[in-house]
Amino acid sequence: MASQEENRISRIKDRLLKAVDSWTDPLAIFLNIFLTLFYYLYDVFYVVPQMLGTTGNAVHFVVTTWIVYNILGNLRACSKTKSSVDTLPPELMQPAKGEEHLWHSCEKCQRTVPPRSWHCKVCNICILKRDHHCSFVANCVGHNNHRYFMWFAFYATLGSTIALVENLLFALRNKISVLSLFSFNGLLLAEYLHRGSVNMALEVQVRLVFYVNICAVLFPGLLFFQQIFLIRRNAVMHNSSDRTYDLGCWKNFAQVLGRRHFWTFLSPSIKSPLPNDGTQWQSKHNV
Ligand SMILES: [Zn+2]
Ligand SMILES: [Zn+2]
């Protein structure tokens, strides 16, 4: 009786999770694209022209356009590239001779899957070398798209940090002190004491842009540094302390970035084949 009740609760939980996931992924990816374009256009056409000359503006335009291209390009590639076990060619769907003991069975997929593959409740399939399901890219991050996720997090952090510096300089230029940005009460008090002395519309605009900008630096920043920490030891998010596959820093990064290694920094369109197929993993013990 108790187990029937537990099953019922578990089914309700699964249904609720699916309902939440069906709108969090599209919402997160929309916010991602919207905020990237908003800060790009806001800084390129509104903030920076008030602070730099023609040459400075042109340099800023080229640099930030390249950053935005890499944010959106890596986001698109990460979101479109699947890492599920279904992407394997038919000859790799079964373990190679002598490697049967390394594969494990998945109850949900009702099949055996390669080592380092784990089931994703949102995608409802096992993912090769699964790191985590990320709503910001509306996809599971795994063997085939890990590179795009790492560079997406890097460029999103870089772009947001540059925007934050520019927005702070813009605030200073308009005589809004950085410290005052952290206190809304101070602004209301100043307006109360010296009515009409504060440009309220500009203050609110600068503050809103600043608060969202802080979040836009922190979220991808934390994700990027977490990824560097994990990739450096060839671990994944759900098993971050596992050093089984740690082959040394250079080789560990090559397993994510592919043969062209850090040159993938330049663009998501650079072809960089991965050194393995996602089913066979060299470990420290079988080097
Ligand atoms: Zn599965
Ligand atoms: Zn997933």
Side-chain angles (χ1 to χ4, degrees):
M1 197 65 186
S3 83
Q4 265 184 1
E5 184 62 13
E6 278 168 16
N7 281 344
R8 199 176 68 85
I9 293 171
S10 154
R11 278 202 303 274
I12 292 172
K13 268 188 188 167
D14 276 359
R15 271 209 293 272
L16 273 174
L17 260 178
K18 270 189 186 148
V20 170
D21 289 328
S22 65
W23 61 263
T24 48
D25 275 14
L27 181 68
I29 210 160
F30 167 77
L31 269 178
N32 230 332
I33 295 170
F34 173 77
L35 288 177
T36 303
L37 292 177
F38 170 78
Y39 278 96
Y40 171 64
L41 296 172
Y42 181 76
D43 281 15
V44 164
F45 295 107
Y46 177 70
V47 171
V48 175
Q50 297 185 47
M51 300 194 291
L52 294 179
T54 315
T55 314
N57 261 317
V59 173
H60 176 264
F61 174 76
V62 171
V63 172
T64 50
T65 302
W66 180 59
I67 291 172
V68 167
Y69 160 70
N70 268 287
I71 295 175
L72 297 181
N74 281 297
L75 170 65
R76 184 176 186 275
C78 191
S79 163
K80 294 253 172 216
T81 309
K82 303 291 176 201
S83 293
S84 74
V85 288
D86 276 354
T87 59
L88 289 169
E91 65 275 17
L92 292 178
M93 294 259 187
Q94 297 297 325
K97 255 206 169 123
E99 291 187 358
E100 293 85 354
H101 64 289
L102 296 173
W103 289 45
H104 59 278
S105 95
C106 172
E107 232 177 75
K108 297 263 167 66
C109 295
Q110 297 197 325
R111 62 198 273 188
T112 55
V113 292
R116 308 191 80 187
S117 302
W118 296 102
H119 193 84
C120 173
K121 279 185 182 172
V122 185
C123 301
N124 199 26
I125 193 162
C126 277
I127 307 294
L128 297 168
K129 203 203 78 180
R130 180 169 184 263
D131 189 67
H132 70 293
H133 185 94
C134 182
S135 289
F136 288 116
V137 296
N139 197 4
C140 248
V141 177
H143 178 61
N144 295 327
N145 59 357
H146 208 161
R147 152 198 169 182
Y148 302 119
F149 184 73
M150 189 191 104
W151 289 127
F152 160 70
F154 169 78
Y155 277 105
T157 311
L158 178 67
S160 302
T161 306
I162 291 173
L164 185 66
V165 172
E166 289 167 356
N167 293 330
L168 281 175
L169 291 173
F170 179 72
L172 289 175
R173 200 172 186 277
N174 285 284
K175 301 192 173 34
I176 302 170
S177 86
V178 175
L179 280 178
S180 81
L181 288 173
F182 291 98
S183 158
F184 211 74
N185 290 342
L187 170 66
L188 294 175
L189 183 66
E191 174 63 8
Y192 177 73
L193 292 176
H194 312 284
R195 200 157 279 275
S197 66
V198 177
N199 183 344
M200 198 55 96
L202 183 68
E203 283 272 356
V204 171
Q205 170 197 314
V206 167
R207 277 159 192 270
L208 282 178
V209 166
F210 175 73
Y211 298 143
V212 179
N213 204 161
I214 295 266
C215 300
V217 172
L218 287 180
F219 280 119
L222 289 173
L223 275 174
F224 175 67
F225 286 109
Q226 185 189 37
Q227 285 301 312
I228 294 297
F229 173 81
L230 291 170
I231 296 169
R232 197 173 57 84
R233 37 171 69 192
N234 205 350
V236 286
M237 216 180 256
H238 83 273
N239 202 0
S240 57
S241 56
D242 182 17
R243 306 292 290 259
T244 309
Y245 303 98
D246 186 352
L247 305 174
C249 192
W250 188 256
K251 278 190 176 175
N252 293 344
F253 271 95
Q255 293 206 341
V256 168
L257 301 176
R259 301 224 168 99
R260 293 196 196 265
H261 226 287
F262 285 104
W263 287 110
T264 51
F265 160 81
L266 291 173
S267 164
S269 63
I270 289 178
K271 297 266 179 284
S272 183
L274 293 167
N276 59 20
D277 56 25
T279 65
Q280 294 176 309
W281 293 97
Q282 200 179 15
S283 78
K284 280 206 289 201
H285 313 296
N286 60 13
V287 174

